Structure formats: C-alpha cells, structure tokens
Amino acid sequence: MTTMFVQKTHALRVEGLIKTFDVSAPWLNRLVERKPRRYLQAVSDISFEVPLGGCLSLVGESGCGKSTVARLVTGLYSANSGKMQFASGPDGKPLSAQMIFQDPYASLNPRWRVKNIIAEPIRELKLRKSAAEVNERVVELLKTVGLSASDGEKFPHEFSGGQRQRISIARALASEPRFLVCDEPTSALDVSVQAQVLNLMRRLQDEFGLTYLFISHDMSVVRHMSDRIAVMYLGRIVEEGDTEELFARPRHPYTRLLLQTIPNIEKPHRDRVVAGGEVPSPLKPPSGCPFHPRCPSATARCSAELPQVRTLASGTRVACHLVQED
Ligand SMILES: Nc1ncnc2c1ncn2[C@@H]1O[C@H](COP(=O)(O)OP(=O)(O)O)[C@@H](O)[C@H]1O
Ligand code: SF4
Ligand SMILES: [Mg+2]
C-alpha cells in the first residue's frame, strides 16, 4: 500500500482499497482436518474522497466493512492494496486522522480522572508547556464539549453514556486534530441524547473547521451530518453521492431498502429490520452482484456479472446493472 500527501479540496482520497483477513483455523487443525487457509475480504476495492472541512458518511448494515475502513484510515490496520492520499494541513504537515469510537466507556481508562484522560495527548504531543497551561487547556476542552471544570475531577463511571461520549470527544480534540473518524459515535446512546451529541459534533466541525469521516448504520443519523454519503454492502460501495441527491433520488436498490427502514415518527413501533433477508457471509460472497439474493429487481445478469461503478450526470456513483441516466 502507498500513502501519499496531496494539496487541497480533499482531506483524504482513497483508491482501490482492499483489506483481507486470514480467518484460517490454527495450522495443526488445518493439517489434521486437511482444511485449506480461509480468507475474508472485509473491504473490496473501495474508492472515495472526503471533502476538506466536510463530512463523508459510510452507511450500511452491520458487517459491511465500515469499521475496517475506519481502522485502515486511522492506521490501525494496513491495507492489502490500494492508495490513501492525505492532504496537508495549514502547517504543511499531512493531516492525520483521530478516531472516536462507538463505546466511549471501553476507550476511556476507568482508573484515571477525566482531567488526566484529556490531558494525556496534550502532554504526549507537548502542546502546552507548564502544568498550569495543561490544566487551563483541559478546562477549556471540557467547556467546549458542554462539561464543567469540576467534571475533570471525576472518574468515567460517574457519567452517563452521552457525557462519556463528550469526554471522548474532548480527548480527541486535545490533540488538535483536523480530521476525525467517528465510528458509530452515537449508536450506543438513547435517541434524545444522540441528537445532542450529533449537534455538538456539528458545532465543533464549524468552529474548528474539522473534516469528518462519519460511520453509522442509520440513514436518519447520517442525513444531518453529511455532505456526501457512501452506501456500503458486503465490503463494497454500491452508491455514493451528495446527501440531498441520495435522499431525493436513491438509485441503488440497496439504498432504497435502507431508506425504507428509517424510523417513521408516525409509526414508531414499526419493525426496523431491513427487509429481504440476511446479509450473506463475506466468507462466501454471492456471485455477480453481491446484493442479488436480496434484490427485488435482480435479473439473470445480476447473478453472473459484478456491476461496475459508474458516475451519473448528477455526480452520484452507483454500481447496478439496471440503473440508467434519467
Ligand atoms: N480483525 C478481524 N478478523 C477477522 N475478520 C474481521 C476482523 N474485523 C472485521 N472482520 C470481519 O470483516 C467484516 C466487516 O467487519 P466490520 O468492518 O467490523 O463491519 P461493520 O463495521 O460495517 O459492522 C465482518 O464480516 C467481520 O466479521
Ligand atoms: S445489479 Fe442487479 S442485483 Fe445488483 S442491485 Fe442492481 S438490479 Fe439488484
Ligand atoms: Mg462497525
């Protein structure tokens, strides 16, 4: 894999990214049971651009490869192949991506006071000189995310889920990042708390000119966060386009299916399970179009031939044999 640095307009440009996991049984079992090695392709030839100062969201059901992309972008995994080009920031240094995780409790050290959790990146990166300056910065960050100076004296377990996510946001901001990768940051929260944290994240984006790669399985969440949305299915992007355009004119049958499952305020108790059966295992992906076993429009061609990604006049990219220009 090559990682390069480019100027302007895009914070990150990703091309042909592939990530395969070796999920073979231990070698002795393979030897005794005469089993071959097994590989799981979690991310299959993905390309996208994250606009500088904007938000691209990745959306799709569980297991479609969203977190793997997040881990590739933040350097926690290395890709089998593909290119990642980060733009350089105003200081001339390449942007690096900071991660905000779904479960704020697991990512906060339970034995540390909140002020030390937030101070750690400041000290590590030597962003402030004296202890007094570090403290001052910690209080500033607590206030930025809607907490108070006295909250710094407490431990993570003394906070609610929403407050803990505010703490992890403060900690992420402590390293003064320009690019945040947010992997289902509000999925563990109640709907009302979710909205508060999402509003906070939008405000911070404006205030600090942040770039987001935002990840969610929920179309209603990404709608209000994103400039562009990439819909993923079984490790591939099946549709990617401008948020308004994607909601007004969803082109891919899977995008349409996802939009049908958005919770309806008038029918709040409607079953939200996505229709058309289960997502197939990435260990045995279907032939042709990976969506064909669930697709209401599938034809014989669909089980034989993988649809290539095409760019429509609207700027939407879509991978489906049936989609035509209007
Ligand atoms: N470290 C890993 N080892 C083996 N398989 C993995 C690993 N991480 C993810 N996978 C598999 O890759 C696929 C995509 O997973 P993931 O990226 O977590 O999807 P999502 O975040 O969209 O739910 C899943 O089938 C998952 O089981
Ligand atoms: S290529 Fe065929 S199976 Fe795949 S989404 Fe389009 S119509 Fe459905
Ligand atoms: Mg995930």
Side-chain angles (χ1 to χ4, degrees):
M1 185 183 67
T2 39
T3 302
M4 290 160 59
F5 307 107
V6 289
Q7 281 294 337
K8 297 281 174 328
T9 63
H10 298 106
L12 169 65
R13 182 174 292 164
V14 167
E15 233 181 274
L17 209 59
I18 294 180
K19 177 63 182 175
T20 303
F21 294 109
D22 184 346
V23 291
S24 312
W27 71 271
L28 191 57
N29 298 44
R30 286 205 312 276
L31 201 70
V32 175
E33 297 162 32
R34 297 175 173 275
K35 280 189 179 155
R37 278 193 172 278
R38 297 177 85 198
Y39 296 94
L40 183 154
Q41 196 160 92
V43 172
S44 305
D45 193 8
I46 273 190
S47 302
F48 60 81
E49 288 171 347
V50 186
L52 192 62
C55 175
L56 171 78
S57 290
L58 304 179
V59 64
E61 285 161 283
S62 174
C64 68
K66 305 180 297 294
S67 294
T68 304
V69 173
R71 285 163 183 268
L72 289 166
V73 167
T74 46
L76 294 170
Y77 288 156
S78 57
N80 297 71
S81 64
K83 271 196 271 186
M84 286 204 290
Q85 302 181 307
F86 286 95
S88 45
D91 54 358
K93 286 189 216 150
L95 297 178
S96 67
Q98 272 288 317
M99 183 97 131
I100 295 177
F101 295 95
Q102 172 174 356
D103 180 356
Y105 201 53
S107 56
L108 300 173
N109 189 330
R111 284 184 296 271
W112 284 19
R113 286 184 201 278
V114 163
K115 64 178 181 187
N116 291 325
I117 292 175
I118 298 173
E120 192 193 26
I122 306 172
R123 294 196 185 109
E124 197 154 303
L125 298 168
K126 300 190 172 57
L127 296 172
R128 294 291 186 279
K129 288 190 204 84
S130 66
E133 281 173 308
V134 173
N135 278 338
E136 208 174 295
R137 175 68 177 144
V138 168
V139 170
E140 184 180 81
L141 284 162
L142 283 166
K143 290 184 177 158
T144 300
V145 299
L147 296 170
S148 66
S150 60
D151 287 325
E153 302 301 324
K154 300 181 191 160
F155 292 91
H157 74 261
E158 296 177 64
F159 295 89
S160 68
Q163 287 171 319
R164 285 203 288 258
Q165 199 53 295
R166 287 173 193 269
I167 296 166
S168 31
I169 293 169
R171 183 187 149 86
L173 292 176
S175 62
E176 297 174 19
R178 305 191 63 83
F179 186 177
L180 290 179
V181 176
C182 314
D183 190 358
E184 309 242 17
T186 63
S187 300
L189 307 176
D190 294 340
V191 177
S192 62
V193 181
Q194 237 185 69
Q196 290 166 13
V197 174
L198 292 173
N199 285 340
L200 169 67
M201 293 183 70
R202 288 204 60 154
R203 182 168 66 69
L204 296 175
Q205 182 176 29
D206 291 344
E207 209 169 314
F208 301 113
L210 299 172
T211 297
Y212 287 151
L213 176 62
F214 191 89
I215 290 172
S216 177
H217 62 276
D218 188 336
M219 276 287 199
S220 60
V221 165
V222 299
R223 179 170 205 170
H224 300 289
M225 290 302 293
S226 336
D227 300 294
R228 294 184 73 85
I229 295 176
V231 178
M232 289 185 66
Y233 191 75
L234 270 187
R236 295 176 190 277
I237 292 177
V238 295
E239 179 164 3
E240 189 264 343
D242 174 78
T243 302
E244 290 311 312
E245 175 69 19
L246 196 115
F247 272 84
R249 276 170 294 280
R251 305 304 298 264
H252 195 282
Y254 182 59
T255 310
R256 295 194 181 146
L257 197 66
L258 283 182
L259 288 175
Q260 283 164 14
T261 57
I262 285 187
N264 187 331
I265 295 168
E266 283 129 49
K267 295 184 240 163
H269 300 300
R270 198 173 97 169
D271 188 0
R272 288 201 53 214
V273 173
V274 179
E278 298 275 297
V279 183
S281 162
L283 276 170
K284 265 189 94 184
S287 61
C289 173
F291 188 54
H292 88 258
R294 295 173 73 190
C295 182
S297 322
T299 64
R301 184 185 179 194
C302 299
S303 50
E305 191 187 325
L306 178 71
Q308 298 301 308
V309 178
R310 286 180 303 131
T311 306
L312 305 177
S314 61
T316 294
R317 294 187 304 145
V318 62
C320 171
H321 292 310
L322 291 195
V323 172
Q324 309 286 338
E325 287 288 357
D326 291 321

